[in-house]
Amino acid sequence: MKARIWGARGSLPVALTHKQIRAKLVTALEGAIGRGLDDSAKIADYIDNHLGFEVRGTFGGHSSCVEVEAWDPDTTQEHVILDMGSGVRPLGGSKLAKYGPGKPQTYHVFMSHLHWDHIMGFPFFTPAYIPGNRIVIHGCHAELERAFRRQQEAISFPVTFDQLGAKIEFRQMEPGVPVEINGLRVTAKLQLHAGDSYGYRLEHGGQTLIYSTDSEHKLEDEAERQAFVDFFRDADLVIFDAMYSLADAISVKADWGHSSNVVGVELCQLARARRLCLFHHEPIYDDAQIARVLAETRRYAEITGEAPLEVLAAYDGMEIDL
């Protein structure tokens, strides 16, 4: 399997500001002083090998959307999407560019929950407008169809849900009861979040991916902790809501429905997971702050873990091979 991050932000999309771009340029140019960057090869080497990702790139600003490549992309006409935040717009564009409008595709969407930042990209998902395409939206919420229809009512959007060209289906899931799609096994788990949220365990070909966003963890609740350890057990990759610092998560932002990088490390260590991907980044964090969180998390994992745990920070466009 492969995970492809199309939207890594939490709560709402954000964009780089003029001030942030200027700061990146200043840092890059100051670092170039005395390096004799007088040809393209030297410039490319400096950018690729001497600048931190927070300077040469960006963690991005799209809200939550992850594509899971479970089958051979050259032969399949079926695709898996986790949440439909604003990142699903470029995802749809990439599929249209690859397959064109004349080759019908099926998209299996698994929804963590129905808050706006996780469904806001659907009206801009181009495949939904193309007849012949099929979009199957899976989720545990009884209001699943209502949420998608409501945001396209006339008062909010110029195209109604019933004007979409694709065949759109809604399928109710039960937590703990796996769904099987062409050898892919998907199991949902209830999480602590306003209005309920659900994490997903995806298993295919001996590999396991966990998608657990918008989930708060009460550290003192041993039963809850063990339930998540079991859910994460031996995962190859855990995509985890690490929106807050631990201090914020257990104090001023307790009961806000999100978790921290430290809790993510602890759960993955207990579950013997192989990789942790920090996700649902706080929208007020700039690239430098997210990079600092990543460095701190890696250091924490290194000094506390008995087994190696690779720690990544999600960014728009990131691809992770399991």
Side-chain angles (χ1 to χ4, degrees):
M1 286 194 289
K2 175 186 287 189
R4 188 174 289 113
I5 310 292
W6 292 95
R9 286 282 174 175
S11 298
L12 79 165
V14 295
L16 284 171
T17 65
H18 162 78
K19 182 178 179 180
Q20 291 168 342
I21 293 173
R22 184 181 185 280
K24 288 175 182 283
L25 290 171
V26 168
T27 300
L29 291 172
E30 287 179 344
I33 295 172
R35 291 181 177 271
L37 304 180
D38 53 6
D39 63 46
S40 297
K42 292 179 182 178
I43 292 171
D45 177 71
Y46 169 62
I47 293 172
D48 295 337
N49 300 311
H50 298 278
L51 289 178
F53 178 80
E54 72 278 9
V55 178
R56 72 176 185 269
T58 179
F59 290 95
H62 278 304
S63 64
S64 303
C65 181
V66 176
E67 177 186 3
V68 178
E69 194 174 279
W71 310 291
D72 183 350
D74 294 326
T75 59
T76 189
Q77 284 78 49
E78 298 197 61
H79 314 277
V80 176
I81 300 172
L82 307 174
D83 280 335
M84 302 195 86
S86 64
V88 84
R89 183 192 60 81
L91 187 163
S94 76
K95 296 306 179 189
L96 186 60
K98 181 177 178 65
Y99 300 107
K103 295 181 180 179
Q105 306 292 309
T106 295
Y107 298 90
H108 294 278
V109 181
F110 292 87
M111 294 300 307
S112 66
H113 65 308
L114 304 176
H115 287 164
W116 189 42
D117 55 317
H118 291 253
I119 66 172
M120 66 192 310
F122 178 74
F124 303 93
F125 184 55
T126 307
Y129 293 81
I130 300 175
N133 283 337
R134 178 173 171 243
I135 302 172
V136 185
I137 302 177
H138 306 259
C140 297
H141 292 83
E143 308 88 352
L144 194 62
E145 181 172 358
R146 177 169 170 257
F148 277 84
R149 285 182 171 275
R150 187 179 64 172
Q151 74 170 341
Q152 287 189 240
E153 291 178 356
I155 195 170
S156 300
F157 199 75
V159 181
T160 68
F161 188 90
D162 289 329
Q163 290 177 297
L164 299 175
K167 180 181 180 182
I168 302 171
E169 307 169 26
F170 293 90
R171 293 192 179 175
Q172 190 82 24
M173 294 180 65
E174 292 291 334
V177 180
V179 169
E180 298 272 356
I181 305 169
N182 297 337
L184 174 67
R185 180 183 176 96
V186 185
T187 308
K189 185 188 186 314
L190 178 64
Q191 303 178 135
L192 181 60
H193 191 74
D196 290 340
S197 170
Y198 295 87
Y200 290 98
R201 182 180 176 98
L202 294 85
E203 299 167 283
H204 183 264
Q207 297 177 324
T208 299
L209 182 153
I210 301 293
Y211 180 71
S212 177
T213 189
D214 294 71
S215 178
E216 186 169 358
H217 299 272
K218 299 296 186 180
L219 298 178
E220 67 279 6
D221 189 332
E222 293 185 10
E224 179 200 349
R225 174 182 291 226
Q226 188 58 50
F228 275 93
V229 169
D230 293 340
F231 191 62
F232 290 5
R233 181 75 62 195
D234 297 325
D236 296 284
L237 174 65
V238 176
I239 299 174
F240 186 84
D241 178 347
M243 189 170 182
Y244 301 143
S245 68
L246 179 61
D248 282 348
I250 63 176
S251 58
V252 295
K253 295 181 179 178
D255 302 320
W256 284 29
H258 297 283
S259 191
S260 73
N261 56 333
V262 171
V263 172
V265 168
E266 292 180 353
L267 290 174
C268 284
Q269 287 174 338
L270 291 169
R272 310 293 288 184
R274 190 162 64 89
R275 273 187 286 187
L276 166 65
C277 183
L278 308 178
F279 186 73
H280 206 272
H281 303 310
E282 165 65 62
I284 67 172
Y285 285 0
D286 62 13
D287 289 315
Q289 177 64 26
I290 296 173
R292 286 193 291 272
V293 171
L294 174 59
E296 292 167 1
T297 310
R298 284 174 169 168
R299 179 59 180 155
Y300 180 75
E302 180 183 356
I303 64 177
T304 60
E306 296 179 2
L309 174 66
E310 183 181 356
V311 181
L312 312 169
Y315 61 83
D316 296 2
M318 183 183 217
E319 295 187 355
I320 308 170
D321 287 305
L322 272 64

